[in-house]
Amino acid sequence: MKGPKQVGPFWAIAAFVHFLCVHPADAAERGNYGGTLRIAFTGPEAQAEPSLADAPADAALFQTSFQGLCRLQSADKLQPVLATEMEQTGARTWRISLVEGARIRSAGGLTARHVAQSWARLSQQGTLSPYRALLYPLRGEGRQLEGAILSSSMIELSTAFAWPDLPASLCHPALAIAVPIAGGGAVGLGPFTATSRGDVLEENLSFPLGRPYLDRLKIVFANGRRALRLLSLAQVDLVLGEAEKTNLIRSPLELYATYLAFKAERTGADFRGDFEGAVDRAQLTQFFAPTASVPMFNLLPPALMPQSATTATRASAASKRRAAPPLTLLYDQALPEQRLVAERIQVRLHDLGYRIVLKPVSRSELRKRWALGQFDLMLHAVLMPPLPAPALALAIELAGKHELLASELPRIGAEAEAAVRELKVRERALALAAQLPLIPLYAQSAVLSASPRWYLPFDGQGLPRFDDAYAVGE
Amino acid sequence: MRLRTQLALAFACLAIVPLALVLPWALSNLRRTLTQGFDARVASAMIAARSVLEQVSKASTVGAEELADSPVLEDFAREVHAGHATPSTTTLGERLMKSRGLSVLSLLDSQGVTLSSGHLPARLGDRDPALFATTEQPSGREPLPVMVEVRGDAGPLQLPALVAARAVDYGETRIWVVAGILLDDRLADQLSRLTGAEVTIAGAGSALAHAGAADAPNTEKTIDFQPIARLTFAFSRAPQVSAEGGILRAFVLITGLGLLLAIVAGWVVARHLTRPLEALTTATRQLAAGSLGVSVREESSGEVGDLVASFNRMSAELKSVTERLISSERTAAWQEVARRLAHEIKNPLTPIQMSLETLAAARIAGSPEFDRLFNEGVKAMLEEVERLRRIVDEFSRFARLPKPRLAPVDPAELVRQVLALHPARPAGVRLKTEISNGMTVQADRDLLTQVLMNLLKNADEAIGGEGEIAVRVRRHSDGVAVEIQDSGPGVPAEHRARVFEPYFTTKADGSGLGLAIASRICQEHGGRLELDATAGGGALFRLVLPAPPEP
């Protein structure tokens, strides 16, 4: 693998800690091939859109069938998956060679056009995604990738400004290759392949990295309590998305960041100060946010920058707000914890005179309303890349300030040293925090409960890697 | 008013009066019965509502006690004591609340901070002074009414609830279980369906929950949960009012139908009863108008039937008698006429016979006076023959009186014409006329002229050349009257009834047929000739002719 520069010690420590958090079995031990891993999944039905499958449990399951050009094996180590090579051919140019002969079920061989079309969806009307910020450094903001195709298996990407973190950005799960098919849905290429039985994923023998250890994954869709009950009854081997204290397995990377986006012209100029005075993030994560969540005070989660708690401010007069029209708080109906968080925000702000109506919507609807700016308040969660610079780009995009990327990213990308770049990012994150209509709430990692007989590693994105999972014996 | 109408109205009154007397009493009784029924229903419903609220109260107490004694709370208390707080406590309250059928559940620490809440999980970690205040009440007391913050569409809202508090102790850690039932729309709906009333739960001056509907007018009952809430039950009296109205309408309808039937029945019965009487009335009028032999053919029984039969018999007899009388009168009249005629003819025959016998005797005797006797005798006989001829002519004229040829005649003009034709009167005779114009009669002009001439001649003869004759033409109740009045001696009372008989006369040389012919002519015209006495002693002859019918 060529190209990416070395990352700082932080990432090395993170990688070490990461390996400690995998199954108690010896990580170096390789288990037997074969077997069926029965997974109880607490999320909604499987997504077909990579940019929507970004909640940790969703992303973990999505990756089994949809992979991108690369993945982060650890925070500082890129592993090509559908690309064989990502070569930096110039100061701002990378040439990417795709795996030869890789076939996508129902879509033929993998081509550069598939890659271009897949990434272009992030910037298209109707599928506009905050993850387009990951492609912003590319010329044309990643909207004109057809011109970057050199051949059916080769793409040459050029950035508009220096952006050393581009290769790592391309490994984000939201940039997984998904080819739309007739009748709706999409197909991709991953270590497992969907079968005619919707709940079974079979091993993909032609996966570029080799077949997985497991023969198949059997998915059971269940709510949290039922999933845990199935685990206790040994009817499933793993619960993805829910965990009890006794057998909690979590990634150390809390990269799934939840924010409260707001429209200042609707909420009023005092909203941020009122919120900070009313809502205690520690309490939020202790009682209302999901397991394995940590308070987030700054634009980037604690995994990417040290946190500085904001001071509570004095609330403005409640009387004039009572006469104002109520505000609508949109949240993801597929995430049960967001209902609790939304209610907590509602009641705390109610004490200050805000009238807030809660409205659960689907994730795609949430993204649509975000893209159109049609909301008063919104709980919006994204899976941050494990690198500060792309994460800041994503946060700025999430705040709806796309125009700021043009001024912020070049300044950051101009710093060649990763550590310096990281400091720059923190400085800008602190400076931009008050400008952006985005209030950070908490960050969470992937959580799961598993039977002891299974080994399951995590990748550099903090997501479990099922293609490397195996049974460790009786 | 006709008898039939009277009978029909009498029938109707007979039918209406009882109904009219019964209706107010019945309505009053009905109203009282319905009101009693309504009041009983309301009382029963309120008993049921209070029973439900007692169950709610008991559920709160039992719920709190059962939870306080449950292993779940013991485990929870242990975790709190150990300082463990997990996100699962966020949903613990909601799960416990739903499993116990409660709608309020808060687990509070000894400072009143919410450890878990079923009705508003988002308040975890916040103090709840309202619910914590209930923990200050001694255990065993009835549940307390308290305003509770619950989930609302646009944020938390306050609803009243009945809550009970119980303590759970784990070492030095005390946890309060505050459980209860909301007085919300669901309870209001339950109470509304149970009582059939419109239930409103109000607190702080505003309606917090509402269920059901009660059309006005309605009766309200309340149950207070001071100072938090008041439950108002509105029971509709509309069905009762509707029932009263319906029954009143039915009564009115029945009364109307009854009245109508009574009128119809009365009319039918009255018609059945009065038809023979009406037929009798008609027949009587016909009989009075001269239709002899009219009979009533209506079938009837009883007294009316007897009356009808009697009338028919009477009519038949009257006809028979009248015919006999007419025949007798006609025979008598002809006998009288024959007698008079014989008398009149006999009078001239006697002198004729005497003259002939004298001549015969003189001839036999060879009297030298024979020539003188012959001339005297012939003269006398010729005068008597002339007299006979006059009698025969007048009789013939009376017997062959022509039918009048009727035509419109102006009586005023006719009278003036007759007066103009009348020979000039002596100076001592004053003629006074009062003639009204503008009348017309159907008459034979020549015959009427004859009558008027006869009456004027009689008047002249009555006053004897000295006196006054008044001629009047005026309207009469029976048509038109022409009056000729003289100031003469008048007609003696004993003769007034006979003046119009043929051959009756008080004059020495009268034929006795003039007034009879005049009377006959008037009768032929449909009128009559009358004789009245006057205050001054003279005679007043009145010719009454009928006016022509209206076009």
Side-chain angles (χ1 to χ4, degrees), chain A residues 225 245 283 285-292 326 339-340 342-348 350-351 354-358, chain B residues 79 83-91 94-95 115 120-126 149 151-157:
Chain A
R225 290 179 62 80
K245 274 189 311 188
Q283 225 178 34
T285 52
Q286 185 180 13
F287 298 124
F288 304 101
T291 309
R339 180 177 75 90
L340 297 172
E343 286 184 350
R344 179 62 176 174
I345 294 173
Q346 180 193 47
V347 301
R348 294 298 295 172
H350 175 81
D351 297 338
Y354 288 89
R355 290 189 297 150
I356 296 177
V357 176
L358 303 184
Chain B
E79 288 190 4
H84 297 155
T86 67
S88 66
T89 62
T90 310
T91 57
E94 197 168 2
R95 282 186 278 118
L115 300 174
L120 192 59
R123 278 297 183 200
L124 197 157
D126 296 341
E149 200 178 41
R151 282 175 171 135
D153 291 336
L157 49 89

Side-chain angles (χ1 to χ4, degrees), chain B residues 250-281:
Chain B
F251 260 116
V252 169
L253 183 65
I254 291 170
T255 302
L257 281 175
L259 179 64
L260 187 63
L261 283 173
I263 291 175
V264 170
W267 189 261
V268 169
V269 172
R271 185 164 174 269
H272 176 71
L273 286 177
T274 61
R275 195 160 54 191
L277 296 177
E278 288 172 352
L280 269 175
T281 304

Side-chain angles (χ1 to χ4, degrees), chain A residues 443-458:
Chain A
Q444 61 191 104
S445 64
V447 294
L448 51 90
S449 292
S451 162
R453 58 186 289 265
W454 295 95
Y455 166 71
L456 184 61
F458 287 83

Side-chain angles (χ1 to χ4, degrees), chain A residues 281-434:
Chain A
R281 285 179 179 76
Q283 225 178 34
L284 203 66
T285 52
Q286 185 180 13
F287 298 124
F288 304 101
T291 309
S293 59
V294 294
M296 190 166 75
F297 297 92
N298 301 123
L299 270 182
L300 301 184
L304 298 177
M305 70 180 281
Q307 301 290 297
S308 51
T310 56
T311 51
T313 58
R314 188 171 177 175
S316 56
S319 57
K320 65 177 179 181
R321 281 194 298 277
R322 294 201 196 281
L327 302 172
T328 302
L329 172 53
L330 303 177
Y331 65 91
D332 191 335
Q333 67 189 18
L335 299 174
E337 71 276 5
Q338 284 208 353
R339 180 177 75 90
L340 297 172
V341 170
E343 286 184 350
R344 179 62 176 174
I345 294 173
Q346 180 193 47
V347 301
R348 294 298 295 172
L349 290 178
H350 175 81
D351 297 338
L352 299 181
Y354 288 89
R355 290 189 297 150
I356 296 177
V357 176
L358 303 184
K359 185 175 181 184
V361 294
S362 65
R363 197 170 298 163
S364 60
E365 176 67 19
L366 204 72
R367 289 279 160 80
K368 199 180 297 183
R369 300 279 285 263
W370 164 84
L372 295 172
Q374 292 175 352
F375 62 94
D376 301 331
L377 299 169
M378 180 186 290
L379 284 177
H380 208 161
V382 288
L383 183 64
M384 286 293 186
L387 295 153
L392 181 62
L394 184 53
I396 294 173
E397 183 70 47
L398 193 66
K401 298 295 185 183
H402 182 80
E403 65 280 4
L404 285 180
L405 294 175
S407 57
E408 295 294 330
L409 297 195
R411 270 192 279 177
I412 294 169
E415 302 296 340
E417 286 288 330
V420 175
R421 205 161 53 243
E422 188 176 321
L423 285 172
K424 189 75 174 176
V425 166
R426 290 183 201 172
E427 173 200 319
R428 294 312 303 155
L430 290 171
L432 290 170

Side-chain angles (χ1 to χ4, degrees), chain A residues 77-360:
Chain A
K77 189 174 177 187
L78 257 166
Q79 180 186 27
V81 179
L82 299 186
T84 58
E85 195 174 18
M86 296 173 74
E87 181 185 2
Q88 187 167 6
T89 56
R92 299 185 205 164
T93 312
W94 282 263
R95 183 170 295 175
I96 299 171
S97 303
L98 300 179
V99 169
E100 296 282 349
R103 296 194 63 77
I104 301 177
R105 185 174 66 95
S106 305
L110 173 67
T111 66
R113 189 170 301 280
H114 289 142
V115 176
Q117 288 173 349
S118 206
W119 291 354
R121 286 174 57 79
L122 298 177
S123 302
Q124 287 173 351
Q125 284 282 77
T127 55
L128 198 67
S129 170
Y131 294 107
R132 66 175 179 164
L134 300 172
L135 299 175
Y136 182 85
L138 296 176
R139 288 192 188 281
E141 300 180 15
R143 287 196 288 257
Q144 292 133 14
L145 293 172
E146 296 285 340
I149 296 173
L150 295 181
S151 70
S152 65
S153 61
M154 193 172 291
I155 304 175
E156 188 166 81
L157 300 176
S158 302
T159 59
F161 46 87
W163 193 251
D165 292 320
L166 178 68
S169 299
L170 299 180
C171 300
H172 193 281
L175 298 180
I177 310 305
V179 180
I181 55 174
V187 289
L189 186 57
F192 295 90
T193 307
T195 63
S196 56
R197 280 188 59 182
D199 58 344
V200 172
L201 301 172
E202 291 285 348
E203 58 175 344
N204 183 3
L205 296 175
S206 58
F207 185 56
L209 297 183
R211 60 151 289 175
Y213 287 102
L214 296 167
D215 289 332
R216 67 189 61 80
L217 304 175
K218 190 172 188 307
I219 313 298
V220 177
F221 294 92
N223 62 37
R225 290 179 62 80
R226 178 168 172 256
L228 292 173
R229 189 162 59 245
L230 291 174
L231 181 66
S232 68
L233 295 172
Q235 292 180 3
V236 296
D237 303 307
L238 183 145
V239 174
L240 190 57
E242 187 74 40
E244 289 176 333
K245 274 189 311 188
T246 50
N247 54 0
L248 168 68
I249 300 174
R250 58 178 289 182
S251 162
L253 296 175
E254 294 97 359
L255 291 174
Y256 191 53
T258 300
Y259 300 84
L260 178 66
F262 62 94
K263 289 288 184 185
E265 59 269 25
R266 292 277 297 154
T267 61
D270 300 326
F271 179 76
R272 186 191 297 275
D274 290 339
F275 180 90
E276 295 295 348
V279 179
D280 183 334
R281 285 179 179 76
Q283 225 178 34
L284 203 66
T285 52
Q286 185 180 13
F287 298 124
F288 304 101
T291 309
S293 59
V294 294
M296 190 166 75
F297 297 92
N298 301 123
L299 270 182
L300 301 184
L304 298 177
M305 70 180 281
Q307 301 290 297
S308 51
T310 56
T311 51
T313 58
R314 188 171 177 175
S316 56
S319 57
K320 65 177 179 181
R321 281 194 298 277
R322 294 201 196 281
L327 302 172
T328 302
L329 172 53
L330 303 177
Y331 65 91
D332 191 335
Q333 67 189 18
L335 299 174
E337 71 276 5
Q338 284 208 353
R339 180 177 75 90
L340 297 172
V341 170
E343 286 184 350
R344 179 62 176 174
I345 294 173
Q346 180 193 47
V347 301
R348 294 298 295 172
L349 290 178
H350 175 81
D351 297 338
L352 299 181
Y354 288 89
R355 290 189 297 150
I356 296 177
V357 176
L358 303 184
K359 185 175 181 184

